[in-house]
Amino acid sequence: MFDDQRSKKVILVLHCLLNQNARIEGCAYFPGAMGEAARAVVDSGVGILQMPCPELHGLGLDRRGRMRDGTDIGIREALLEGEGQKACRELARQVMDDVNEYRKHGFRIIGVVGNDGSPACGVDTTHYVDGERAGAGAFMKVLREELEKVGLDVPFVALRDHEWGERAKRLRALLEAAAET
Ligand code: SF4
């Protein structure tokens, strides 16, 4: 079944890899897709599952300054409580619906691409209200939990703003490893 031209390999990518319009004001660095990293994914022949942008869905496009009692609580914190948290969980479940459907038919999920420093999509580092530190972003944290629930252990790769060349190399390495198997 599905014995046609498709690769039957799928990578989960953060939304703004292909659409920088979703970025918070002041943090879009490309007119559309994320340059070299986006080209690497497109050229690889792996299917691209563009995940929804959790900040856009949970907090809107104009999302600077998430206030509670007159204090800025930060984007990550806002996504870990109330409506923001509900949005993250719901989006992760939507992604998992697709993941589970692909797996049911023997497709392989080769990895997840996030962006370090992002309050939602950071993999190894994320942005707290007082700055960047180690830890996963609010959405990547939930997504990892959902993947673990179905016993799916896939590599997470992090891009990073201003380190596009070096991070794109890591992504290429993942794509090349997937092409060999
Ligand atoms: S929340 Fe994630 S997908 Fe949305 S703009 Fe930030 S890094 Fe990109």
Side-chain angles (χ1 to χ4, degrees):
M1 202 174 178
F2 304 115
D3 190 17
D4 48 24
Q5 289 299 307
R6 74 191 77 192
S7 66
K8 297 182 85 169
K9 294 172 188 171
V10 176
I11 190 165
L12 312 186
V13 303
L14 77 166
H15 185 90
C16 62
L17 177 77
L18 301 175
N19 178 22
Q20 289 272 297
N21 289 295
R23 284 282 178 104
I24 195 169
E25 189 192 2
C27 288
Y29 297 100
F30 299 88
M34 239 169 137
E36 192 181 340
R39 278 192 294 276
V41 180
V42 170
D43 292 346
S44 71
V46 162
I48 305 166
L49 196 163
Q50 182 188 23
M51 297 185 286
C53 170
E55 293 182 19
L56 179 64
H57 281 264
L59 306 173
L61 197 53
D62 181 13
R63 54 188 179 267
R64 278 205 184 280
R66 310 308 301 183
M67 308 300 282
R68 193 200 311 120
D69 302 331
T71 307
D72 185 348
I73 63 167
I75 299 276
R76 184 174 189 275
E77 287 78 354
L79 288 172
L80 286 171
E81 64 172 40
E83 287 305 304
Q85 188 186 45
K86 242 168 66 187
C88 272
R89 186 66 65 181
E90 179 53 34
L91 295 178
R93 290 202 180 117
Q94 284 173 20
V95 171
M96 290 307 296
D97 284 347
D98 285 359
V99 165
N100 290 330
E101 187 64 16
Y102 281 126
R103 292 183 78 212
K104 190 169 88 186
H105 292 286
F107 290 52
R108 197 151 67 84
I109 306 299
I110 69 148
V112 178
V113 183
N115 199 70
D116 273 347
S118 161
C121 298
V123 173
D124 299 315
T125 69
T126 185
H127 206 94
Y128 297 78
V129 71
D130 57 351
E132 185 175 346
R133 295 203 300 274
F139 178 68
M140 287 294 160
K141 181 175 174 297
V142 170
L143 181 65
R144 204 186 274 275
E145 288 167 8
E146 294 292 327
L147 289 164
E148 280 170 3
K149 276 187 204 163
V150 298
L152 189 52
D153 182 16
V154 292
F156 279 61
V157 171
L159 303 172
R160 185 179 176 80
D161 294 343
H162 309 292
E163 291 181 14
W164 294 291
E166 199 266 321
R167 297 299 178 121
K169 269 191 216 157
R170 297 186 194 185
L171 177 54
R172 271 188 207 284
L174 173 72
L175 294 164
E176 283 165 14
E180 286 165 10
T181 54

